[in-house]
Amino acid sequence: YSEMLGRIQETDHSVPDPLDRWLYFTRTEQGKQYPIYCRREDHLEAREEVLLDPNELAVGQAYFRVGVYQVSPDHRLLAYSTDTAGSEIYTLRVKDLKTGRLLADEIPNTYYAVAWANDNRTLYYNTLDAAHRPFQVRRHTLGGEPAKDPVIYTEPDEAFRVGITRSRSKRFLFLGLTSSTSTEVRFKSAEGPEGEFRVVEPRRPKIEYFVEHHGEHFYIRTNTGDAKNFKLVKAPVADPGRARWRTLIPHSKTTVIEDVDAFENHLVVWRRDKGLKQIQITDLKSGESHNVSFAEPAYTIMQGRNPEFRTASLRFTYASLVTPASVYDYDMIARTRRLRKQQPVLGGYDPERYQSERIFARAGDGFEIPISLVYKKGFERDGQHPALLYGYGSYGATSEPFFSSDRLSLLDRGFVYAIAHIRGGSDVSRYAYEDGKLFKKKNTFTDFIACGERLVAEKYTAPDRLTILGGSAGGLLMGAVLNLRPDLFKAAIAKVPFVDVINTMLDASIPLTAQEYEEWGNPNDKKYYQYMKSYSPYDNVAAKPYPELLITAGLNDPRVAYWEPAKWTAKLRATKQGGQALLLKTNMGAGHGGASGRYDRLKETAFEYAFLLDRLGLGK
């Protein structure tokens, strides 16, 4: 812990985000757990204003997290929400930024969506049902009684959840209705509470679309027409239904369109080509497009907040396994980039001392699985080095090759760190996601095993030195591969693992269950039951030696209930052979994400790394 803490610049600040005449940013102070939310006016003499200090709000709380954080259009009010248990059930409040006082408005049972209307007195927010599903959007007028807030929309389909956003252009509010495979978007003017939400295009099975506003048109990213990797279409605001969609960027089998941002004069398309992220920028006046290029073999880019509509500057963060997070402002006209800030790494970190690369493993059906690697230069492929292989592979999520200063504690001890970009995620394409879900879920597990075998075959490591890590659905991955190939791995960490698949998916009263039938299948259907049971980690524990194993849980976890890892641990203890370690560590004051404070989170990581080092016999 002390080693990892010594690399962190504890007193620091983010690059300010410009919006209207203000600059919004966060800063941290040494010894304080949480970032402080601040702003200042956009001129040299401006003084800092502290808008929200979670360190003060968290006094006396074992857990604390800020959910939503939205300043009103006139910058006078702040809507924010807090969770003090880790249950992801938030209480929404409003603060007067001029007086510093909280308004009387206090709204319980809210989730991660809130949007201001342009009248600065109307708030839209989503609420949870008994199964922890965001199923409803309500409208609150400041000064009104929250219990009487009118319901704007209730989603009756248990597979769908609902959220609310405001467009960057500030003209529209968007009501987003989403399941794992389908979406529907409704919109209305953001000027005030008046007016009804109109449907862009009615939902249809397995059709997804996402809407961005510019002028008199919507730009829509959609998979309609079997465009699994998505295409970009344009539709008039006055009549945006599918009959009026005009294709701007057609579907590609090798390039995924992941997101779209519209600014006053530019359209930004965030793409992934053969697993690596790219940026395509189009001048909306001239129609001319260009790409922003990056050189490293494995890297990632992340969108900045970019809240300002009338700007030619695009903010993004670039990072790789050796390059710390670097915030850039890109001039979309001049096509130049300016480094605004790079994550400080104390203790003399030199990226030239480390090497990253990208190799591939071959699955049994011929699928090429990318593996992102990093290690300290001087590393010899002699099979004598320890390794940590990370994987997730569910929900179409991607595992990005991002920098971590914590990871240096492993690399400096001779580890190779690897990320398996397996099917079930969209690391390569949406085709890869489709090939790792439902009746193809086992591809996720066999892909991960193939990655482990590749590392061994190429002598990056050996089975008695290969360790693995995954959390949540990645914990399911850990459990499945340990049942299939316990001989391939020395040690494993399964964080808040989803391992009791059958029992959880048969109980629709448990949070998320009904929403996830499209991901895993519904075990009330015999075919799905039999397939899911054939890989469910809890149901396939056998009397054989297992690797050294650390399992974690959160008592207040609404996503993977604490009893899943507890039951799995108990069955392993009663069944497995050999004297390998089997530890269950339950956080009694947190949920799915673990500890909330930055120091407490660092202690959790330190514990996990210490477990691996201890089991490998590496000591200090």
Side-chain angles (χ1 to χ4, degrees):
Y1 169 79
S2 298
E3 184 178 306
M4 293 191 296
L5 180 62
R7 300 191 191 101
I8 296 173
Q9 184 166 300
E10 297 179 68
T11 299
D12 203 358
H13 61 84
S14 67
V15 180
D17 288 315
L19 180 61
D20 301 328
R21 63 185 180 90
W22 294 95
L23 297 172
Y24 288 88
F25 59 99
T26 61
R27 59 177 175 82
T28 55
E29 293 182 2
Q30 184 173 2
K32 294 187 176 181
Q33 292 269 23
Y34 304 100
I36 301 166
Y37 296 82
C38 307
R39 74 177 178 187
R40 60 180 173 83
E41 292 188 85
D42 192 4
H43 59 81
L44 293 177
E45 296 79 22
R47 294 182 176 180
E48 173 190 281
E49 295 180 31
V50 174
L51 307 186
L52 192 70
D53 187 349
N55 299 286
E56 295 179 357
L57 299 176
V59 172
Q61 304 290 347
Y63 180 97
F64 185 86
R65 190 177 295 277
V66 173
V68 300
Y69 174 88
Q70 292 284 340
V71 176
S72 61
D74 64 0
H75 302 270
R76 168 69 186 263
L77 302 168
L78 170 66
Y80 72 95
S81 64
T82 59
D83 170 19
T84 57
S87 61
E88 298 182 70
I89 301 173
Y90 289 86
T91 298
L92 181 63
R93 295 178 173 87
V94 179
K95 182 178 182 179
D96 187 322
L97 298 179
K98 187 173 182 179
T99 66
R101 296 178 179 175
L102 285 177
L103 304 188
D105 312 71
E106 183 174 316
I107 308 173
N109 194 41
T110 65
Y111 205 48
Y112 291 111
V114 67
W116 287 96
N118 291 340
D119 63 4
N120 301 294
R121 60 189 301 269
T122 303
L123 267 176
Y124 295 81
Y125 59 92
N126 61 350
T127 62
L128 299 165
D129 65 10
H132 208 88
R133 177 178 66 104
F135 79 119
Q136 202 170 72
V137 166
R138 292 174 172 258
R139 186 182 70 227
H140 179 72
T141 302
L142 296 183
E145 186 178 339
K148 297 181 180 179
D149 286 349
V151 175
I152 301 305
Y153 181 81
T154 299
E155 175 53 57
D157 190 331
E158 291 182 339
F160 280 77
R161 52 200 177 274
V162 58
I164 185 86
T165 59
R166 190 177 64 149
S167 66
R168 180 182 286 108
S169 66
K170 304 179 183 179
R171 274 189 55 186
F172 292 106
L173 295 170
F174 289 121
L175 198 66
L177 314 172
T178 61
S179 77
S180 295
T181 61
S182 305
T183 64
E184 179 177 298
V185 178
R186 304 183 179 200
F187 68 101
K188 71 175 288 294
S189 168
E191 287 308 307
E194 297 79 16
E196 299 295 322
F197 281 89
R198 295 169 52 198
V199 176
V200 173
E201 171 68 16
R203 71 185 72 174
R204 288 178 291 146
K206 298 183 179 180
I207 296 298
E208 297 176 83
Y209 70 92
F210 306 90
V211 180
E212 179 79 350
H213 170 250
H214 182 278
E216 299 309 313
H217 291 88
F218 290 138
Y219 289 91
I220 302 172
R221 181 174 68 96
T222 180
N223 68 347
T224 188
D226 200 32
K228 289 187 184 293
N229 282 340
F230 290 87
K231 62 185 178 182
L232 182 66
V233 303
K234 183 178 180 181
V237 170
D239 183 13
R242 189 162 65 110
R244 301 294 302 275
W245 291 3
R246 179 169 65 87
T247 300
L248 298 179
I249 301 178
H251 173 254
S252 165
K253 288 190 175 182
T254 60
T255 301
V256 184
I257 298 177
E258 291 194 327
D259 207 352
V260 177
D261 283 324
F263 299 91
E264 184 177 35
N265 295 313
H266 295 89
L267 188 72
V268 178
V269 178
W270 305 84
R271 308 187 306 174
R272 188 180 296 270
D273 186 16
K274 299 176 182 177
L276 293 176
K277 299 182 80 169
Q278 298 180 344
I279 306 173
Q280 177 182 320
I281 297 174
T282 300
D283 186 312
L284 291 172
K285 291 183 177 179
S286 69
E288 187 176 354
S289 296
H290 71 277
N291 294 327
V292 183
S293 61
F294 306 94
E296 292 186 80
Y299 65 85
T300 186
I301 48 177
M302 297 182 300
Q303 297 158 261
R305 286 187 61 244
N306 294 304
E308 186 64 73
F309 181 70
R310 293 180 173 85
T311 182
S313 181
L314 175 71
R315 177 164 295 168
F316 62 84
T317 297
Y318 173 92
S320 75
L321 293 172
V322 298
T323 304
S326 306
V327 179
Y328 285 92
D329 281 346
Y330 183 81
D331 189 319
M332 294 186 280
I333 298 174
R335 303 187 182 182
T336 57
R337 69 189 79 177
R338 174 190 173 199
L339 178 62
R340 295 295 307 276
K341 182 183 178 68
Q342 187 173 82
Q343 173 191 344
V345 182
L346 306 185
Y349 173 71
D350 180 2
E352 294 300 319
R353 296 172 58 197
Y354 302 86
Q355 177 72 42
S356 72
E357 60 176 307
R358 198 166 182 246
I359 64 172
F360 292 84
R362 183 179 291 273
D365 60 2
F367 179 74
E368 295 283 333
I369 313 154
I371 309 173
S372 298
L373 301 171
V374 63
Y375 45 81
K376 195 171 184 179
K377 285 183 178 177
F379 180 93
E380 293 184 13
R381 284 164 48 185
D382 56 10
Q384 299 301 307
H385 288 270
L388 176 57
L389 177 63
Y390 170 81
Y392 186 75
S394 290
Y395 304 109
T398 56
S399 298
E400 303 291 357
F402 201 78
F403 181 81
S404 167
S405 65
D406 301 343
R407 196 182 298 138
L408 298 176
S409 290
L410 299 181
L411 303 185
D412 289 347
R413 287 173 169 83
F415 271 76
V416 57
Y417 177 84
I419 301 171
H421 301 287
I422 51 183
R423 282 177 284 186
S426 296
D427 303 52
V428 176
S429 68
R430 295 289 289 186
Y431 290 94
Y433 169 44
E434 298 286 344
D435 277 346
K437 62 185 294 191
L438 298 174
F439 287 118
K440 296 181 178 181
K441 187 62 204 170
K442 290 182 183 179
N443 285 337
T444 302
F445 316 136
T446 54
D447 280 4
F448 189 83
I449 290 170
C451 290
E453 292 174 334
R454 177 70 169 170
L455 294 178
V456 171
E458 295 298 318
K459 296 188 176 181
Y460 287 97
T461 189
D464 64 347
R465 295 167 176 82
L466 176 55
T467 67
I468 56 177
L469 169 66
S472 192
L476 163 67
L477 170 67
M478 296 298 101
V481 301
L482 292 180
N483 285 331
L484 292 169
R485 286 294 308 277
D487 59 301
L488 185 58
F489 312 108
K490 171 64 176 177
I493 300 175
K495 302 173 64 172
V496 291
F498 171 43
V499 285
D500 190 12
V501 179
I502 293 296
N503 284 307
T504 292
M505 295 302 294
L506 281 171
D507 188 351
S509 70
I510 293 176
L512 303 180
T513 292
Q515 300 170 54
E516 302 211 345
Y517 291 149
E518 293 173 331
E519 179 73 21
W520 311 101
N522 185 341
N524 291 292
D525 181 323
K526 185 178 180 180
K527 297 190 299 295
Y528 280 114
Y529 177 90
Q530 291 174 335
Y531 185 77
M532 295 164 74
K533 192 169 185 179
S534 72
Y535 69 74
S536 172
Y538 176 78
D539 294 289
N540 288 279
V541 171
K544 56 188 174 184
Y546 280 80
E548 316 274 2
L549 184 55
L550 169 63
I551 303 168
T552 70
L555 186 66
N556 300 323
D557 191 340
R559 297 174 185 258
V560 176
Y562 68 86
W563 56 77
E564 285 201 44
K567 286 175 63 178
W568 185 42
T569 301
K571 190 167 185 180
L572 281 164
R573 284 177 176 159
T575 309
K576 79 178 185 73
Q577 298 173 343
Q580 296 84 355
L582 173 54
L583 306 181
L584 172 64
K585 183 174 186 286
T586 303
N587 190 322
M588 304 300 286
H592 199 63
S596 57
R598 58 176 177 154
Y599 295 107
D600 291 340
R601 284 199 301 271
L602 195 62
K603 288 176 181 176
E604 290 186 342
T605 302
F607 184 90
E608 293 159 10
Y609 285 5
F611 170 79
L612 295 180
L613 295 173
D614 179 72
R615 295 296 90 190
L616 288 166
L618 295 178
K620 295 184 178 179

